[in-house]
Amino acid sequence: MEFSSYIFDANQRIFWLYLLSSLAIALVMIKLHPKYKSYFTKKILWSESSILDYKYFILNAFVKTFLILPLLIGANEVALILIQFLQTVFGYLQPLHVAKENVVLLYTLSLFIIGDFTRYWLHRFLHTSTLLWRFHRIHHSAEVLNPFTFYRVHPVENILFGLRHALSAGIVSAIFIYLFGAKIGTIEFFGTNIFVFIFGLLGANLRHSHIPLRYGIFEHLFISPYMHQLHHTKKHSHQNFGGVLSIWDKIFHTWHVQTTQENQIYGLEEKNPHTTVWSLFYEPFLRKI
Amino acid sequence: MKKYLLSLFILFLFLGCNSDNDYDAQNGLISGGIKDDTALTTLYEKVYRTDANSSYEAIISLVESLKNLNQTQNQINLQEVQTKFKLFVLEQKKLEATFLADVLNDNFLDTLGYMEYFHSGKNSDLVSELNAIFRSQTNLAEALYKNSNKSITSLEYTLFGEDENISSLLNKMDERRSHAGLLMGEKIATYSKLIKDFYINDESFLNSMEVSTSELLNQLIDSSYKLKEWRIGEATGIVKKYEGIIDKKKLEYYKSNFSIDAIIMILQTHLRILQNGLKSIASSAGATTQADAIEQTLQTAITLCKSFHAPLEDSLNDTKVKDLYNIVNVLQQEYTALIASMNFTQKIIEADGD
Ligand SMILES: [Zn+2]
C-alpha cells in the first residue's frame, strides 16, 4: 500500500500536477477576487469534515487495495469474454486495414466519452435509488469541500464504479479489438488518457473546494468546478451529475447553472449522521429507511 | 502573493522537467508501454530477412532443377524437382505466415494471391484449365496468361498431378508440360525476388515499434485463424460450412501430400517470431504470462503434428486432427489475450465516484 502512488499516478485525482495546477488557478482567482481567500483557509482545510475526509482516505485506500481490487473483474477480462462472444456470433473478422493512428485516436475518444456517459448514469442512479443513496450519501455528507472529498466514497460505491469501468472500458475495447485487432492503443500523457489529463490540469481538484471556478460558455459542454459544487448543495443535489462533460446533463435534463453565489451551504438536508470515520463505513448498513 | 506565484512557477518548471522520464516524446503519445527497441531489429533480421532470402534461394534452386527436367523429362529429374518443390513450398509458408510486405507497401497487396491459389477459387477449375493447356497446341506462354495458371498451386499440379504415382506422371511429363513447369517456376521466382529485395532494402518495419508490433500481431492472429479453418477445419468437416464432410481436396497440398509439413512450418515460424523478439516485446508491455502461454501452445501443436504417422491427407478421420484444430483455436484466443494484456498495462479500477 503506497500512498505515494496516489500523488505520482496521473490516473489519480490528487496527482501532484493536478493539485499544483488547481492550486495555481485558486491563487490566481484569489488574486483577482481577494474575498475568495476565506474559502482557502486553515478553518476549511482543517475543519472536522475535512479531517474526516483525510482519515477516511487513508482507511479506504486499504479497503480498495486489499478487498476490492483483487476481487473485482477488470476491463481486460470483460474484453476477452466479449471478443469471444463477438467472434462466435458474428464470425472472425480479418482486422480492417486502417492506420493505427486513426484507431488510437478513435479508441481514446470512445473510452473517454463512453466512460463519462456511464459515470453520469451511475451517479444519477446513486441519487435516485433509495438503496444506492444510502451509500452515496456519505459523499454528500461532507459539509466542507476539499480535494480529498473526492475519495469520500463508500466501498459499495467504489465497487459499483469499478464495475462500471470494467464494463464500459471492456465493451469499448472488445469492439475495437474485434474490428482492428492489435491496432488499438490510447493517446496518453504521463500514463493516463490525454482527456483525463487535460481535465485534471483544468482544475479538477477545485470541484471539491469552495473556489467557484467557472467555464463560462463552455459550461454547456463541460462541468465546471462550480457546477459540481452546486451538486453538493442541498438545493441542487439532483442536478449536474456529470463528470467531465455536461452534455449528458443537458440531454437528460439535469443541467443547472446560476449566477455565482457566495458562501453556499454544502451537505445533507438532514442532520449529518457521519461524525466518525467508522460511521462512514457502517452507517449505510444500519440506517432505517 | 507575487512571491507565492513566482515560487509556484519555479516549482512547476522544476517538477515538470524532473518527472519527464516516464514520458517519451516518440512513443509517449501511444500507449502499450513497449520499450524494447532492439527486439524489432532482431526479429526483422532473424525472421523476415532470413526467410525472404532462403525462400528466394529455394525457388532459384527449384528453377534450376526445372530447367533440367525440361531437357530430360526423366525420372531422376522429376524426383529431384519434386524434392526441391517441397523445400521451396515450406520456405514460402514461413514468409506467408508473417507476411507484412502488403501492409508496409501497397505494391504487395496482391502478391501472395498471385503466387498461390489456395482458398481463392475452385481448385477443380484450375486442374481442368491446366489439363486443357497441357493438351492444346497453342503458344504455351500465351496459354498461361492467368496468374493462377502460373502459381505455386499450378506448379504443384504440374509436378504431382493429383497425388499421382511417379510412372503415371512420367507418362504425362512431355516437353510441353515440363516447359510449362519451368515457366511457372520462373514467374514465381520473379515475385519471390521482389519480396526478398523489399525486405532487404526496406526499413519501414523498423520505423515504429508500436505500428509494426500491431501489424505483426494482427498477421499472427490471421495466420492462426486461416491455419485452423482453411488448413484443418474445412477438409475435416469441423467447420460449420462443411459440417461432417471429409474432403482431402480441401487441404492445401492434397496433390503433393505436403499439408501437414506446411502446417508445421507455419507453427514453427510463429514460434520463431515469438522467440526472436515478440516475447521480449510482450514482456516489456507486461504480458509475459500471455506470451509464455502462446509458446507452450505452439510447442504442443507442433508435437501433435509430428505425431501423425501418415500424411494429413490420409489421416482426416484421426481424432488427432480435431485435437489440432482445438489447439490452434486456443492459440488464436491466446493471441487475442496477448493484445488485450498489452493494451491494459496496469489494472486501473477507477473506483472513485464524484
Ligand atoms: Zn452526487
Side-chain angles (χ1 to χ4, degrees), chain B residues 130 133-134 138-147 149-150 154 176 179-181 183-184:
Chain B
L130 289 170
I133 291 169
F134 295 156
T138 55
N139 178 296
L140 187 58
E142 280 171 22
L144 291 169
Y145 71 96
K146 276 191 184 176
N147 279 308
N149 292 341
K150 286 171 283 190
S154 292
R176 190 173 170 87
H179 188 208
L183 292 179
M184 292 170 192

Side-chain angles (χ1 to χ4, degrees), chain A residues 123 127 133 136 139-140 228 231 237 241, chain B residues 354:
Chain A
H123 188 189
H127 279 264
W133 172 245
H136 188 53
H139 181 64
H140 280 270
H228 191 69
H231 174 73
S237 69
F241 295 115
Chain B
D354 244 310

Side-chain angles (χ1 to χ4, degrees), chain A residues 16 64 69 72 76 84 92 94 100 107 119 139 150 158 173 180-184 186-188 207, chain B residues 1 15 19 28-29 31 210 214-215 218 222 225-226 333 340 343-344 347-354:
Chain A
W16 65 268
K64 281 189 286 186
L69 186 62
L72 205 64
N76 191 352
Q84 263 215 304
Y92 166 81
Q94 196 162 9
K100 175 152 181 159
Y107 177 65
R119 268 183 177 276
H139 181 64
F150 174 69
N158 286 142
S173 306
F180 306 107
K183 285 186 192 168
I184 58 164
T186 40
I187 305 176
E188 293 186 347
R207 293 160 66 91
Chain B
M1 182 58 76
L15 285 170
S19 67
L29 282 180
S31 76
E210 302 282 346
S214 323
E215 296 290 3
N218 277 0
D222 204 51
Y225 172 78
K226 288 173 182 164
Q333 284 165 16
N343 183 48
F344 297 97
K347 193 168 179 181
I348 301 170
I349 54 168
E350 276 210 51
D352 300 295
D354 244 310

